[in-house]
Amino acid sequence: MTRFFLGVFPGAVLLALPCAPQQASAQPAAVSPRPIAAPTRPNAAPVQRGASCHNGMSFGRFLADLKQQAAAAGVSQRALEETSPYLVYDQGIVNRDRGQRVFGQVFTEFAGRMAAPYRMQQGQAKIKTYAAAFARAEKEYGVPPAVISAFWGLESDFGANMGNLPTLRSLVSLAYDCRRSQMFQAETIAALKITERGDLTPAEMVGSWAGELGQTQFLPTHYFNYAVDYDGDGHRNLLHSPEDVIGSTANYIANGLKWRRGEPWLQEVRVPQNLASGFTWDQADLTIQHPRSKWAQFGVTYPDGRALPNDNLPASLLLPMGRMGPAFLAYPNFAAYTEWNNSLIYSTTAGYLATRIAGAPPMHRPAAQIAQLPFNELRELQQLLVRAGFNVGKVDGIMGQQSRSAVKAMQIKYGLPADSWPTAELLARMRGVPAAQPFPVGASAVR
């Protein structure tokens, strides 16, 4: 899964993706990174910034220490010798990690591309082709086939785009780099343990530049902890065995992401603009839950106008593009999606695609185009929010949870509909606001 490097957080307006050219195709490309065959320098001398966070030690000394840690974690000398030719530093990998660019993408555009009919149809076809494995996974783990199939399609187009770079080289290069060294040291050791267990040989470990493996793009720690042998060949092969992919993905969703058996995950709804008294737009927040019966009292219905069930199933109202855009009820199982990938655009798209594979109709499109502030104005809005006393994290034009919470607080202050969607009206209001003392509204959620 691509959750750790996308650089986008719940409530995001902009989506960050790896900087790689897209091949011309009639079908959209998968979300996972697909490395290009750019020249790299695996034997290049490591830059000093890698040594700066390792007490000045060279890459060679760093690697020797990492191998000692791996040995202490149970990796044999034989496995270390087999993997050693692949444990080389590649500055090109580090450059990719540091060179990710951000581009604007609203939810309807992203979902229209990534949850396209062809991917829904392919997902349904995979469920039929591997019916026995999907049925077994649902019985053992409680995860519906459509949920597994949607992630499978988004992450690699069902195995068509898994990446083509040596995994161990990517991992150890990112482990030596300072940005996320500790995380990638753990991932490198997990990859070594995968080879020790006999699931994959070092040569077989090929994937994304960020070190993810297999048809649902598992980090090595997730691969080692959650991969299962579903085809009975004695190996857990998430690159070439669809049955292993299905069972392992279900295991991770159920036990790693705490899926709730038998409960829904996401459902499109209609939210009338003239809502019942007592409702305010600031209730549309993933941190706020109400029983479905309460949402029904507020006037929320199914898209065709039918009433919601009068029950106590908790749900949040999700407005990925503000009150004028699509609306969904996000149930507790939706947390599995935001944990898989903490971009709200990705997670909502994945949940929506799963509902489509399960038979739901296409979502209703907005009656009119919804304006999105350009990147430079989003950065300006963040700067103004900081000047007003909010902590929005990094001022980068990405409207993460802290920025959206701050937007909502200022919307409330100005008497605007508090749906957390940054608008030109809010920006215009804030341009005339002098610097102030910190505004005591909850805008300190973790970015």
Side-chain angles (χ1 to χ4, degrees):
M1 62 275 333
T2 54
R3 62 194 179 127
F4 67 89
F5 71 91
L6 283 179
V8 191
F9 299 82
V13 173
L14 293 176
L15 179 68
L17 285 175
C19 177
Q22 299 292 322
Q23 295 180 346
S25 172
Q27 297 178 349
V31 152
S32 294
R34 283 178 303 289
I36 57 176
T40 57
R41 299 167 57 206
N43 297 317
V47 292
Q48 287 303 307
R49 68 185 178 209
S52 66
C53 58
H54 301 295
N55 296 320
M57 76 173 61
S58 67
F59 175 72
R61 180 55 192 272
F62 168 79
L63 181 58
D65 284 359
L66 186 59
K67 287 181 177 180
Q68 289 183 354
Q69 296 176 44
V75 179
S76 67
Q77 190 62 36
R78 173 193 57 80
L80 289 173
E81 290 175 357
E82 290 178 354
T83 55
S84 284
Y86 300 86
L87 295 170
V88 294
Y89 184 84
D90 186 346
Q91 183 62 40
I93 295 297
V94 175
N95 292 344
R96 286 193 184 196
D97 185 51
R98 291 174 175 269
Q100 298 176 66
R101 288 197 299 236
V102 177
F103 65 91
Q105 186 110 119
V106 295
F107 167 67
T108 50
E109 293 172 352
F110 186 73
R113 182 168 62 91
M114 301 308 299
Y118 93 92
R119 193 167 272 135
M120 175 196 73
Q121 294 159 6
Q122 285 187 341
Q124 293 170 338
K126 292 295 183 184
I127 292 172
K128 291 180 181 179
T129 301
Y130 300 103
F134 276 110
R136 177 184 171 189
E138 185 169 26
K139 180 179 179 181
E140 292 182 351
Y141 299 112
V143 182
V147 172
I148 302 168
S149 186
F151 281 126
W152 193 5
L154 286 179
E155 291 292 341
S156 73
D157 262 336
F158 306 100
N161 297 288
M162 292 184 287
N164 60 4
L165 291 181
T167 299
L168 291 170
R169 189 176 78 191
S170 295
L171 291 171
V172 77
S173 299
L174 294 171
Y176 185 62
D177 186 45
C178 293
R179 196 159 83 90
R180 291 169 294 175
S181 178
Q182 186 172 7
M183 168 188 168
F184 279 104
Q185 288 182 58
E187 296 299 338
T188 303
I189 292 173
L192 296 174
K193 292 168 75 173
I194 291 170
T195 65
E196 173 74 33
R197 193 166 63 182
D199 293 333
L200 298 171
T201 67
E204 289 175 319
M205 298 184 76
V206 175
S208 77
W209 64 263
E212 297 164 317
L213 281 165
Q215 298 189 25
T216 46
Q217 295 288 277
F218 273 21
L219 290 169
T221 51
H222 295 145
Y223 195 121
F224 185 78
N225 291 327
Y226 297 105
V228 295
D229 175 18
Y230 247 40
D231 61 11
D233 69 351
H235 302 282
R236 304 163 182 85
N237 192 324
L238 304 190
L239 280 76
H240 303 299
S241 170
E243 291 85 359
D244 288 2
V245 170
I246 292 165
S248 302
T249 304
N251 185 26
Y252 175 63
I253 293 171
N255 294 310
L257 305 182
K258 309 305 180 186
W259 187 265
R260 295 164 61 145
R261 182 187 292 264
E263 293 189 13
W265 55 94
L266 191 72
Q267 193 168 47
E268 188 185 8
V269 292
R270 187 173 72 184
V271 184
Q273 295 299 301
N274 297 321
L275 287 162
S277 61
F279 178 89
T280 53
W281 287 108
D282 64 347
Q283 295 298 294
D285 194 311
L286 286 178
T287 65
I288 297 173
Q289 289 185 336
H290 293 298
R292 276 198 297 200
S293 57
K294 186 69 173 179
W295 290 118
Q297 292 175 17
F298 286 145
V300 178
T301 68
Y302 286 121
D304 60 6
R306 290 181 296 118
L308 295 175
N310 187 32
D311 60 26
N312 292 322
L313 186 64
S316 300
L317 183 60
L318 172 59
L319 304 176
M321 297 171 64
R323 70 191 189 283
M324 306 303 293
F328 301 91
L329 284 186
Y331 297 97
N333 271 336
F334 187 68
Y337 288 89
T338 56
E339 179 68 17
W340 180 291
N341 187 309
N342 57 9
S343 159
L344 187 66
I345 293 175
Y346 177 97
S347 55
T348 307
T349 298
Y352 167 65
L353 176 57
T355 66
R356 294 282 285 128
I357 293 173
M363 66 178 166
H364 288 64
R365 297 287 174 168
Q369 184 175 359
I370 298 174
Q372 179 186 8
L373 291 178
F375 178 76
N376 63 322
E377 291 188 357
L378 288 172
R379 288 189 74 251
E380 181 188 357
L381 179 60
Q382 287 180 314
Q383 291 168 344
L384 293 171
L385 290 168
V386 170
R387 191 173 71 174
F390 291 97
N391 175 16
V392 301
K394 187 176 180 181
V395 176
D396 53 7
I398 300 173
M399 300 301 289
Q401 184 60 51
Q402 286 176 285
S403 294
R404 281 178 61 98
S405 296
V407 165
K408 183 167 76 170
M410 294 305 293
Q411 287 171 329
I412 292 172
K413 180 178 181 179
Y414 290 127
L416 301 172
D419 60 0
S420 302
W421 182 253
T423 63
E425 183 178 7
L426 177 62
L427 178 59
R429 296 274 192 101
M430 293 205 66
R431 280 170 172 162
V433 176
Q437 295 298 315
F439 192 56
V441 179
S444 58
V446 176
R447 182 178 173 80

